[in-house]
Amino acid sequence: MVDPVDSKAVVLDIGGKKRAFDIDDPKLPGWVDDNAFSSGGYPYPDKLDKEVFAKTLEDLQAELVKVQFWLQKTGGRVMALLEGRDAAGKGGAIHDILAYMNPRNAHVVALTKPTETERGQWYYQRYIAHFPTAGDFVLFDRSWYNRAGVEPVMGFCTPEEYERFLAQTPRFEKMLVQDGFFFFKFWLDIGREMQLKRFHDRAHDRLKTWKLSPMDIAALNKWDDYSQKRDRMLKETDTDHAPWTVVRANDKRRARIEIIRSILTALDYEGKDKSVVGTIDSRIVCSGHAFLD
């Protein structure tokens, strides 16, 4: 549980209304609980049925196993970035994607803050060291896009470094695609009340409290700042060669299904069963520019 010495009640501006939120209080405020699922304009009233989710997920995971055999046979390389606000569901989605894939050739990269040596390197350098080789399937739980969001919001980079990143990244990513990478970028989007609910759940669950960081608490009053940086990121880096896929993620079940489905839809792998892959839900998934529009 969060140490009350290390966290404080805050007053948040939610839709023009001042709302008190104390993450140490074990009782979740009614205004959070009542609005969490629908927050951010989520298009469904309820979670995807648990049994439907389990069956659909298992079938899609079997397709991912086919993808891995195909990559090993052809030497293809898949790399996917999962980005989003804290508590957007990146880790859980990655877990379900990799659940039945061979960990020798399919794994997650989740880097900590850069070392002193890494801070002196070219910004992309420490990420490149983890890129997939032939036959590999690599997922980044956060990526170089830290410089498009958390770093400028929290003051961890200069304005010049931020602007340079936005200018250089489309060119950097174009090189990856030209070199033959199957490259995916997912932004998991959640509403504000949903984020607060998930933070609160973490704070009061002894198995998940490690997920709640001081950075999460510090960001409670920076929602609008993060939104502005997200929109600028999508505007500048949603390109034809490396597009963003925005996934509405208030319902973790639908989000995980649609992330996997999006990857499978884009790959022409051996033995692909299109009836299993299905059709991407346009109410949950859209492009970066469509999201901004």
Side-chain angles (χ1 to χ4, degrees):
M1 189 168 296
V2 171
D3 185 340
V5 173
D6 294 330
S7 90
K8 299 178 181 179
V10 293
V11 176
L12 305 174
D13 187 337
I14 308 290
K17 295 182 179 179
K18 300 298 183 182
R19 299 283 196 178
F21 181 73
D22 184 354
I23 202 165
D24 292 328
D25 188 340
K27 181 175 174 58
L28 182 67
W31 63 268
V32 175
D33 199 25
D34 293 343
N35 297 303
F37 198 78
S38 62
S39 61
Y42 194 73
Y44 287 98
D46 301 296
K47 292 181 179 179
L48 181 65
D49 178 81
K50 187 174 182 179
E51 292 184 3
V52 172
F53 168 67
K55 177 63 168 62
T56 305
L57 178 63
E58 182 179 336
D59 289 344
L60 294 176
Q61 288 169 330
E63 292 296 301
L64 286 170
V65 172
K66 294 179 185 178
V67 167
Q68 191 166 30
F69 280 122
W70 171 70
L71 291 175
Q72 292 167 357
K73 180 179 179 180
T74 62
R77 297 165 293 177
V78 169
M79 183 164 61
L81 318 181
L82 274 77
E83 294 285 350
R85 300 179 192 269
D86 293 315
K90 300 179 292 295
I94 288 170
H95 176 273
D96 280 353
I97 293 169
L98 298 179
Y100 296 101
M101 301 179 79
N102 186 339
R104 293 181 178 177
N105 301 101
H107 60 273
V108 58
V109 177
L111 301 184
T112 58
K113 65 180 182 181
T115 64
E116 186 65 30
T117 297
E118 289 170 335
R119 284 196 290 271
Q121 296 173 344
W122 181 43
Y123 178 72
Y124 304 94
Q125 189 169 337
R126 75 186 190 120
Y127 297 101
I128 292 172
H130 299 276
F131 281 10
T133 188
D136 280 1
F137 188 109
V138 172
L139 300 174
F140 277 82
D141 185 347
R142 295 197 179 277
S143 68
W144 47 93
Y145 279 99
N146 281 334
R147 182 145 291 179
V150 64
E151 288 191 19
V153 169
M154 303 304 294
F156 297 154
C157 70
T158 67
E160 293 77 17
E161 288 171 331
Y162 170 64
E163 293 295 337
R164 184 162 63 247
F165 172 83
L166 292 175
Q168 291 180 344
T169 295
R171 300 197 296 271
F172 171 65
E173 293 175 350
K174 189 170 186 176
M175 288 191 293
L176 304 181
V177 176
Q178 288 176 333
D179 202 57
F181 283 85
F182 296 104
F183 183 48
F184 301 90
K185 301 189 301 189
F186 293 100
W187 175 267
L188 278 63
D189 197 72
I190 56 173
R192 191 170 193 184
E193 288 89 345
M194 179 55 76
Q195 186 189 51
L196 293 173
K197 182 179 186 303
R198 291 180 183 176
F199 280 172
H200 188 271
D201 290 346
R202 290 177 176 183
H204 299 278
D205 184 335
R206 62 179 184 169
L207 299 180
K208 296 181 180 180
T209 188
W210 64 271
K211 292 185 175 183
L212 189 68
S213 71
M215 191 70 67
D216 297 332
I217 304 302
L220 285 175
N221 271 311
K222 296 182 180 294
W223 178 271
D224 291 340
D225 292 340
Y226 273 104
S227 296
Q228 291 169 2
K229 292 298 186 294
R230 174 204 61 199
D231 292 352
R232 176 87 189 279
M233 177 193 76
L234 294 176
K235 179 182 177 182
E236 302 292 344
T237 65
D238 183 37
T239 60
D240 290 339
H241 55 270
W244 278 101
T245 299
V246 178
V247 181
R248 298 186 184 278
N250 280 4
D251 180 4
K252 294 180 181 180
R253 296 171 186 171
R254 285 190 174 89
R256 295 175 189 183
I257 291 298
E258 296 304 325
I259 291 169
I260 299 174
R261 184 171 278 153
S262 295
I263 293 172
L264 295 174
T265 297
L267 299 176
D268 189 20
Y269 56 93
E270 186 175 336
K272 183 175 184 176
D273 188 336
K274 293 183 179 180
S275 67
V276 169
V277 174
T279 303
I280 294 171
D281 186 345
S282 61
R283 299 179 71 184
I284 299 298
V285 177
C286 67
S287 70
H289 277 85
F291 178 82
L292 294 178
D293 292 341

